[in-house]
Amino acid sequence: MEKDSPILNLDDIKNELEKLHSKRRKIEENIKIIEEEEFYEQSGYYGIDENYEPARSNMEIAEENLCDINMLIDTKEDICEKIEQCEAVKKKYSEGYKRIVRVQTSKFVEDKLDRKAKAKKIAQILTEKKIKTVGIFGEWGTGKSTFLEYLKEEITKEGTKIIDIKATEYSDQEKIWAYFFANMKESVKKDYKLRFYYFFLKIKKNLRKCLIPLLNIVLVIVMIIALFRFDLFNSFSLVMGMNKKTAELFNSGMNLFVSIFFVIKWIFPLTSKIVDSIEINQNNILSFVKRDVDEKFGYKLIVKGYIEEILKVWKDYRFIFCVDELDRCNNNSIMSFLEAVQLLENYDKIQIIYTIDVEIVINAIKKSGIYNPHNYLKKYVDLKVDLVSVNTQHEYIESIARDEYEFNEEEIENIQLALENLELNISMRDYIHILNSLSELKERWINEQVIPEKCKKVGSYEAVINWYRSLPIAIFYFAGSFWPQKIYKDFGTFKHAYIKVYNIAKNGNVEQQYLDCPNFIKQTNLIDVLNVMSFLREMPLIYCEKIDEN
């Protein structure tokens, strides 16, 4: 059926538009005349005839005609605009469009916001030990993890151990303490010289536990030496009547056998016992179950002692804990983590960097019963670094849309229009999701509507997306705004779709419901909103790879 559909001619449509514009001007002039007549009549310039039909009926007729003409003009202008878009796009994408999808990660991200310079200054302050803790504050997806990576790159590596801590790993306070220690130990394990010294420090500390096993090992070694030194088996074999050569061979074999037996039977188990006595708390440090208050206090001292030993042995190092994902924990876990961090506060050689969504953390502190959560959080953060929402970074987001997704200036202008009118702040992740989805939408629009030139076919043009007008509506939809869904729900079956949303939202309760609706949506033809919503509801959102942030 589509093949037999008549093809619309752009020149004919423009001629019809000129005639309609001329007709509209005449009706507008007629309305002015009727208004003047009505004014004079109400002012008493004319006598009132009882059989005279009021001018208001003429006004109603004129206004109805004007509304019909406006709808026709909107229809023709829409068709004209779609055909012009179609012709312009076909020149650039004659063989269709392949969507551009980018993956947002926290690795190898170009520093378009010049955040590295800021990270360098903070790293210098940390290196000079002027502050104890740094808080990188920002909403979800504003680039906290990326900024943390910049900061880690700028921190002087010599004499510094950077330890990454994922706050989501453990929720129990004891396990968090153990997690700190385990990561500290892991960070220094390649320094074998100091590890050897650390091992003997542990033996010294646990000497009483190791003393009996060590004495047993010494006795076993003395017995082995005595066997080889005094050739006891050689004397025994000679007494038994063996010749000298056979006796020597028997002595060597028995000495070797007894030595191996003692090593396997005594020395290995005793050595293992020493190691177990030294490492028992460390090896089982993550498997403790709940204890009463006194035992927990004792356990804290145990872990604290381990940490102090590492700081004592690796005295030329400073340790920087980089705590990420705190705002991904539940309220109880956030509070447990903050309380556990107090263990590290009194050590000059330990510094902490947090990435935090303030609202989430403050809410967790409030729910724990803290009266002033902001002051409470200040105890944990000496230097605050605020990362702003992507909505305010106009040049940055425009450069991504232009350089990475190859959107043209008119498309970028419409993207920016939507972002400025969004009732919520979006993150960089959200922005990448939106651009990925817009690219998918563009592919479908070009390959399904423009290349077949549906906008030129009678009976098809009404369902075709007006691309530039649809972009802001699509962004509102992808960003989770309820306005496009509301319009679709309220007016999905509206017959006169070319009427502006603003005009049909002026009556009764509908006006109240749409008071906060952005003006650019109100001023959009209803058919543009309905078309793009119908199109988008058939298209799944395109998501980018999940970031480790976070």
Side-chain angles (χ1 to χ4, degrees):
M1 249 181 106
E2 258 186 28
K3 291 182 180 177
D4 301 326
S5 298
I7 304 299
L8 297 169
N9 184 282
L10 188 59
D11 291 333
D12 291 342
I13 294 170
K14 287 182 176 179
N15 290 333
E16 290 177 21
L17 263 175
E18 287 181 10
K19 292 177 182 177
L20 287 170
H21 280 296
S22 176
K23 191 173 182 180
R24 181 167 67 180
R25 284 193 294 271
K26 289 179 181 177
I27 292 174
E28 287 172 347
E29 289 172 2
N30 187 33
I31 287 174
K32 284 183 180 179
I33 292 170
I34 293 172
E35 285 177 343
E36 289 175 0
E37 289 177 350
E38 189 178 46
F39 173 76
Y40 288 126
E41 183 177 312
Q42 291 175 354
S43 300
Y45 285 98
Y46 298 105
I48 299 175
D49 187 350
E50 292 180 358
N51 298 321
Y52 179 72
E53 187 178 354
R56 180 166 294 278
S57 61
N58 293 332
M59 176 69 80
E60 288 173 353
I61 293 169
E63 286 180 344
E64 191 175 320
N65 289 337
L66 182 61
C67 182
D68 292 339
I69 291 296
N70 281 333
M71 275 202 296
L72 285 172
I73 289 173
D74 282 341
T75 305
K76 296 298 180 182
E77 284 180 344
D78 186 46
I79 296 170
C80 185
E81 191 173 349
K82 287 174 182 175
I83 293 174
E84 287 175 342
Q85 283 183 20
C86 176
E87 291 178 349
V89 169
K90 278 198 73 175
K91 289 178 184 178
K92 186 174 182 180
Y93 305 106
S94 56
E95 297 180 0
Y97 174 79
K98 186 176 181 181
R99 75 170 184 262
I100 302 166
V101 177
R102 295 283 182 261
V103 175
Q104 173 76 350
T105 67
S106 57
K107 299 176 181 176
F108 310 112
V109 178
E110 187 179 349
D111 183 27
K112 294 184 178 179
L113 292 176
D114 197 28
R115 286 178 171 173
K116 281 187 177 179
K118 194 172 188 178
K120 190 173 183 179
K121 291 178 182 177
I122 296 168
Q124 186 177 356
I125 294 171
L126 278 168
T127 303
E128 294 171 357
K129 299 179 183 177
K130 291 180 179 179
I131 53 172
K132 180 79 176 169
T133 55
V134 175
I136 302 170
F137 288 12
E139 296 176 356
W140 186 86
T142 50
K144 298 188 295 294
S145 291
T146 301
F147 187 82
L148 181 60
E149 290 300 318
Y150 291 151
L151 192 51
K152 283 154 64 175
E153 287 174 10
E154 296 295 336
I155 291 171
T156 306
K157 300 298 184 290
E158 186 177 351
T160 303
K161 295 294 181 182
I162 296 175
I163 302 170
D164 290 313
I165 298 290
K166 298 293 183 187
T168 51
E169 288 286 326
Y170 300 104
S171 59
D172 181 79
Q173 197 173 91
E174 289 186 352
K175 293 178 181 178
I176 295 169
W177 288 334
Y179 187 38
F180 291 149
F181 165 70
N183 278 273
M184 284 184 75
K185 188 178 177 185
E186 182 70 18
S187 71
V188 295
K189 70 177 183 179
K190 291 184 179 179
D191 196 332
Y192 296 105
K193 183 179 178 181
L194 290 175
R195 277 187 72 191
F196 187 71
Y197 175 59
Y198 179 67
F199 177 74
F200 277 98
L201 185 70
K202 298 300 292 181
I203 290 178
K204 182 180 177 183
K205 183 178 178 181
N206 296 275
L207 189 58
R208 188 173 296 177
K209 293 179 183 178
C210 302
L211 192 57
I212 293 175
L214 280 171
L215 287 174
N216 289 333
I217 289 174
V218 170
L219 288 174
V220 172
I221 292 172
V222 168
M223 289 175 64
I224 294 172
I225 292 171
L227 284 174
F228 282 92
R229 177 71 180 80
F230 298 106
D231 293 331
L232 297 179
F233 285 106
N234 187 40
S235 301
F236 176 76
S237 57
L238 288 174
V239 170
M240 294 297 293
M242 296 182 187
N243 59 46
K244 189 176 181 180
K245 188 175 181 180
T246 304
E248 288 177 357
L249 185 63
F250 177 75
N251 179 68
S252 299
M254 287 303 294
N255 285 344
L256 181 62
F257 173 77
V258 171
S259 299
I260 293 171
F261 175 79
F262 279 147
V263 168
I264 294 174
K265 181 68 177 175
W266 295 97
I267 293 182
F268 279 177
L270 289 170
T271 306
S272 176
K273 190 174 181 180
I274 292 171
V275 173
D276 287 343
S277 66
I278 294 171
E279 301 291 340
I280 186 168
N281 289 322
Q282 299 172 30
N283 292 338
N284 298 321
I285 210 160
L286 298 181
S287 61
F288 283 91
V289 294
K290 292 183 178 179
R291 301 173 179 81
D292 59 35
V293 175
D294 292 336
E295 287 178 324
K296 282 193 174 185
F297 181 73
Y299 182 65
K300 181 178 180 180
L301 292 179
I302 290 171
V303 179
K304 190 175 180 181
Y306 287 143
I307 291 174
E308 286 173 353
E309 285 171 3
I310 290 181
L311 293 173
K312 180 180 178 181
V313 175
W314 282 270
K315 59 185 176 182
D316 294 328
Y317 286 106
R318 65 191 177 108
F319 297 86
I320 299 179
F321 287 90
C322 298
V323 179
D324 204 359
E325 298 184 351
L326 185 59
D327 46 24
R328 293 188 181 183
C329 300
N330 60 41
N331 292 337
N332 292 333
S333 298
I334 289 173
M335 292 307 299
S336 293
F337 196 92
L338 290 175
E339 289 168 2
V341 166
Q342 294 176 13
L343 183 73
L344 308 175
E345 286 182 346
N346 297 324
Y347 301 111
D348 293 334
K349 293 179 183 176
I350 294 179
Q351 294 168 299
I352 307 171
I353 304 171
Y354 300 96
T355 62
I356 296 175
D357 186 324
V358 181
E359 287 188 13
I360 293 174
V361 176
I362 289 293
N363 184 56
I365 297 171
K366 272 183 183 177
K367 290 192 174 179
S368 71
I370 304 295
Y371 177 71
N372 194 328
H374 291 279
N375 284 343
Y376 182 84
L377 186 58
K378 283 178 183 178
K379 294 193 304 182
Y380 294 91
V381 179
D382 297 329
L383 177 62
K384 181 180 173 185
V385 181
D386 286 307
L387 302 181
V388 294
S389 167
V390 69
N391 299 52
T392 62
Q393 304 296 321
H394 301 312
E395 292 183 8
Y396 179 39
I397 59 178
E398 286 177 14
S399 69
I400 292 175
R402 183 185 301 107
D403 302 335
E404 297 187 29
Y405 287 84
E406 300 176 8
F407 288 117
N408 61 39
E409 293 304 320
E410 190 170 356
E411 289 168 329
I412 292 171
E413 185 179 337
N414 280 276
I415 290 171
Q416 190 62 49
L417 172 66
L419 293 178
E420 288 172 357
N421 282 276
L422 275 175
E423 63 270 16
L424 67 162
N425 289 329
I426 63 168
S427 68
M428 180 50 65
R429 285 194 195 89
D430 296 329
Y431 184 54
I432 297 299
H433 293 168
I434 288 170
L435 292 182
N436 284 342
S437 299
L438 287 179
S439 190
E440 167 76 3
L441 178 63
K442 187 173 182 179
E443 180 188 38
R444 287 195 60 192
W445 173 64
I446 291 175
N447 295 337
E448 295 179 18
Q449 296 189 345
V450 173
I451 299 300
E453 294 187 310
K454 285 187 177 181
C455 57
K456 292 186 179 181
K457 295 177 183 177
V458 174
S460 297
Y461 66 84
E462 283 194 359
V464 174
I465 289 180
N466 190 319
W467 175 241
Y468 296 111
R469 290 184 188 176
S470 299
L471 271 174
I473 305 296
I475 290 172
F476 261 60
Y477 175 72
F478 292 135
S481 172
F482 67 92
W483 288 115
Q485 293 281 12
K486 178 173 176 54
I487 293 172
Y488 190 80
K489 180 182 176 182
D490 290 349
F491 307 112
T493 56
F494 205 83
K495 294 181 180 179
H496 303 291
Y498 278 96
I499 294 180
K500 306 281 185 183
V501 178
Y502 180 79
N503 291 331
I504 60 174
K506 286 197 304 183
N507 303 312
N509 294 329
V510 177
E511 182 182 17
Q512 293 298 320
Q513 294 172 16
Y514 279 83
L515 283 178
D516 296 329
C517 184
N519 285 329
F520 84 85
I521 293 184
K522 289 182 182 178
Q523 293 163 4
T524 303
N525 277 335
L526 183 59
I527 194 168
D528 291 323
V529 182
L530 299 181
N531 278 347
V532 73
M533 284 299 296
S534 299
F535 205 72
L536 292 174
R537 286 162 76 91
E538 299 170 3
M539 187 188 90
L541 292 174
I542 305 299
Y543 289 104
C544 64
E545 186 177 291
K546 187 178 179 181
I547 305 175
D548 291 332
E549 189 176 77
N550 150 353

